[in-house]
Amino acid sequence: MDVIANLGIGLQAALTPTMLWYCFVGVLLGTFIGVLPGIGPLAAISLLLPITYYIGPDVAIVMLAGVYYGAQYGGSTAAILLRLPGTASSAVACIDGNPMARNGRAGVALFITTIASFAGAITGLVILIFFSPYIAKLGLKFGSAEYFALMLLGLVAACTFSDSPLKGGAMVVLGLLLSMIGTDVNTGVIRYTFGFSELSSGLSLVALAMGIFGVADIIRNINTIDTSGLSERFTMRSMLPSREDWRLSLPSMARGSAIGSFFGTLPGTGASISSFMAYATEKKIAKQPERFGNGAIEGVAAPEAANNASAQTAFVPTLTLGIPGDITMALILGALIIHGITPGPQLITTEPELFWGLIISFIIGNILLVLFNIPMIGVWISLLKIPYRLLYPTILIFISVGVFSVSNSTFDIYTVVGIGVLGYLLTMLRFDPAPLLLGFILGPLMEEHFRRAMLLSRGNLETFIERPISLTILIITGLAVCFIIASSVRRRLQAYKTDKESHVT
């Protein structure tokens, strides 16, 4: 009965014209951004972040969330047609989706990805509806020690975003250092500003996100993407899967949805990990694994269901515990904080209209996405033909206007350019800048909870191991660190063994 009552509250909040409009705008922009390779939802949300200053927090989050899960739908389009993933999580769709396109089954692949995406998203939303209140009740038992331990676990998990955990850890530390710029909340001391008064309030989250993802991506991709080879046209009939396609796809969608739902609820993981895990699972249990990589439809259905389920369940730790499920969730978490909303266990009880309105909006948004993606595939394909020499200058204009509009400061424009160059250099050195953003957002919160825990315990560090929940989380964190180190050592030994055998041969 509580669930029905809560959904009723959500329906009242979500079915207002304003909420419906921003939900529509978000999913439309998200699909558009997902189709365009090399941009991604992070850059899109960064661009839209300044706009949220001028609209209400509920419609702002609905719009940003729509961009996020809308991009998961659209990301597979370029991956299948051009072998250019629109988002990182859709990279797996290249493996079997592009061979399907080369075999004249592009329409079927695109249709299946849309249905699989919807199935995964609805599965994730069901979990969000039924389990969020219980997770929130558990979160009420959390104090500063538990929150610090949980955020530490999230940062350790973020280290695995990169191919090298050591490089991922370096990016997390850099993000933590950047988060310390500005005025100390407890003492009022201005630190690490290097004489720039504009930095007294800290680095702008908008400038950092736009620079390290938007500007850096533009510099990296401006002369590397060619869409001139796309000329195929599709009809509705050519897109319909056969009975055999459905027989193979439906179980794969179910397994992918389950895998994505699990990984989405884990802080610091994300859709990319779940999509790769779903693909690996399908290949391992397949009776004919040699089909994978040559156009196996299960290799498209499972990863797409997984990344969309993960995109929805990523809101579970973000909204109920205040811990972002992935990097994009960290940016949405920042948007909530900007609007004075503190995500956590109290959110469901203090802001029920916001919480349940968001969930109903997610359901509406996913229905809209199915209606968009199936009949509008031809439109999205034509957008891929826009020359990047015309697209990127427009994006740079939006970045400049967006950054300037936050605080009317030209210093922020210089900042975003500098951070963009830094992001490009990091990418060239094979440092993944994504963990940097997570470290930047969680840094101030970690510092606040650590200091508060120290004040409450009168400086006794044992407070982190005296509390059962905190101790459990720290043990999991320690095991995660051991697993990361063991995996890294194993890879190095395997690489050394392979190199030695090649020399002997």
Side-chain angles (χ1 to χ4, degrees):
M1 291 300 294
D2 289 340
V3 172
I4 296 175
N6 291 331
L7 292 178
I9 295 173
L11 281 170
Q12 291 180 352
L15 294 180
T16 61
T18 305
M19 288 279 277
L20 290 173
W21 168 248
Y22 279 100
C23 180
F24 171 81
V25 171
V27 296
L28 183 64
L29 288 174
T31 309
F32 173 77
I33 292 299
V35 169
L36 295 174
I39 300 179
L42 272 173
I45 292 175
S46 301
L47 293 172
L48 292 172
L49 202 57
I51 300 175
T52 66
Y53 283 83
Y54 307 105
I55 58 180
D58 49 353
V59 294
I61 302 306
V62 164
M63 180 178 66
L64 295 180
V67 171
Y68 175 50
Y69 58 79
Q72 306 300 327
Y73 276 75
S76 58
T77 301
I80 291 171
L81 298 176
L82 298 172
R83 204 175 178 83
L84 295 172
T87 61
S89 60
S90 62
V92 188
C94 296
I95 302 174
D96 281 283
N98 190 251
M100 287 184 69
R102 292 199 306 268
N103 295 333
R105 306 193 71 212
V108 175
L110 292 170
F111 188 94
I112 283 293
T113 57
T114 301
I115 301 302
S117 297
F118 181 76
I122 294 301
T123 303
L125 285 170
V126 169
I127 292 175
L128 186 61
I129 290 170
F130 286 98
F131 288 94
S132 292
Y134 298 103
I135 296 175
K137 288 180 182 178
L138 175 65
L140 290 174
K141 300 179 181 180
F142 279 39
S144 290
E146 286 79 11
Y147 272 113
F148 173 80
L150 196 59
M151 292 176 186
L152 184 62
L153 174 60
L155 292 183
V156 169
C159 296
T160 61
F161 288 171
S162 304
D163 294 334
S164 168
L166 188 61
K167 289 185 175 181
M171 289 293 96
V172 168
V173 172
L174 179 58
L176 292 173
L177 293 174
L178 292 176
S179 72
M180 298 175 69
I181 296 175
T183 304
D184 188 306
V185 177
N186 290 339
T187 64
V189 174
I190 296 177
R191 57 190 186 184
Y192 310 124
T193 61
F194 298 97
F196 292 100
S197 59
E198 294 87 352
L199 292 175
S200 59
S201 57
L203 274 176
S204 169
L205 171 63
V206 177
L208 180 67
M210 284 186 175
I212 205 163
F213 294 107
V215 176
D217 282 351
I218 289 174
I219 298 173
R220 186 174 66 252
N221 294 324
I222 193 165
N223 287 321
T224 60
I225 297 178
D226 179 19
T227 60
S228 60
L230 185 63
S231 59
E232 186 178 353
R233 294 184 179 180
F234 303 101
T235 62
M236 193 67 184
R237 178 172 297 181
S238 68
M239 292 167 53
L240 296 178
S242 65
R243 182 176 298 180
E244 179 67 11
D245 291 331
W246 285 116
R247 186 186 69 81
L248 295 171
S249 299
L250 291 177
S252 299
M253 292 181 195
R255 288 187 290 266
S257 298
I259 292 171
S261 298
F262 171 75
F263 279 98
T265 57
L266 300 178
T269 53
S272 299
I273 295 176
S274 63
S275 60
F276 277 99
M277 289 296 296
Y279 185 86
T281 301
E282 291 301 312
K283 187 174 182 179
K284 188 170 184 178
I285 66 175
K287 294 181 180 179
Q288 296 176 311
E290 64 275 6
R291 293 173 50 247
F292 285 77
N294 298 304
I297 198 166
E298 311 98 289
V300 176
E304 287 302 302
N307 68 37
N308 281 272
S310 178
Q312 300 297 335
T313 54
F315 285 92
V316 173
T318 303
L319 295 177
T320 61
L321 298 177
I323 305 298
D326 63 7
I327 297 297
T328 311
M329 284 292 100
L331 198 55
I332 293 179
L333 177 66
L336 284 168
I337 295 172
I338 285 173
H339 284 277
I341 298 173
T342 304
Q346 300 287 353
L347 180 65
I348 298 178
T349 55
T350 58
E351 300 281 352
E353 293 84 2
L354 172 65
F355 182 84
W356 294 107
L358 283 175
I359 292 179
I360 297 298
S361 295
F362 295 166
I363 296 175
I364 295 172
N366 279 280
I367 294 173
L368 289 174
L369 282 165
V370 173
L371 299 177
F372 285 154
N373 280 271
I374 291 179
M376 295 185 65
I377 287 175
V379 175
W380 300 128
I381 292 171
S382 65
L383 289 174
L384 290 173
K385 299 178 183 179
I386 298 176
Y388 267 49
R389 65 178 184 275
L390 301 178
L391 184 63
Y392 280 146
T394 306
I395 296 175
L396 285 173
I397 291 173
F398 280 120
I399 289 176
S400 301
V401 173
V403 170
F404 182 80
S405 66
V406 173
S407 57
N408 295 326
S409 172
T410 55
F411 182 82
D412 285 348
I413 297 178
Y414 299 136
T415 301
V416 78
V417 172
I419 292 174
V421 174
L422 173 64
Y424 173 72
L425 293 176
L426 290 174
T427 304
M428 291 298 100
L429 294 172
R430 297 186 178 180
F431 282 90
D432 187 351
L436 186 152
L437 182 63
L438 189 61
F440 180 80
I441 291 177
L442 291 185
L445 297 173
M446 288 187 67
E447 181 181 8
E448 179 183 350
H449 285 296
F450 179 79
R451 288 189 174 186
R452 187 179 299 165
M454 289 292 94
L455 286 173
L456 293 174
S457 64
R458 297 184 179 181
N460 186 6
L461 286 171
E462 292 181 359
T463 186
F464 294 103
I465 59 176
E466 290 173 348
R467 302 169 66 93
I469 297 178
S470 174
L471 176 61
T472 302
I473 297 173
L474 288 176
I475 291 174
I476 295 172
T477 304
L479 293 175
V481 171
C482 293
F483 175 77
I484 291 171
I485 294 174
S487 299
S488 180
V489 171
R490 191 184 304 114
R491 283 198 303 269
R492 288 181 179 273
L493 289 176
Q494 185 65 33
Y496 173 77
K497 183 179 179 180
T498 303
D499 183 63
K500 188 176 181 180
E501 288 177 352
S502 64
H503 280 299
V504 171
T505 304

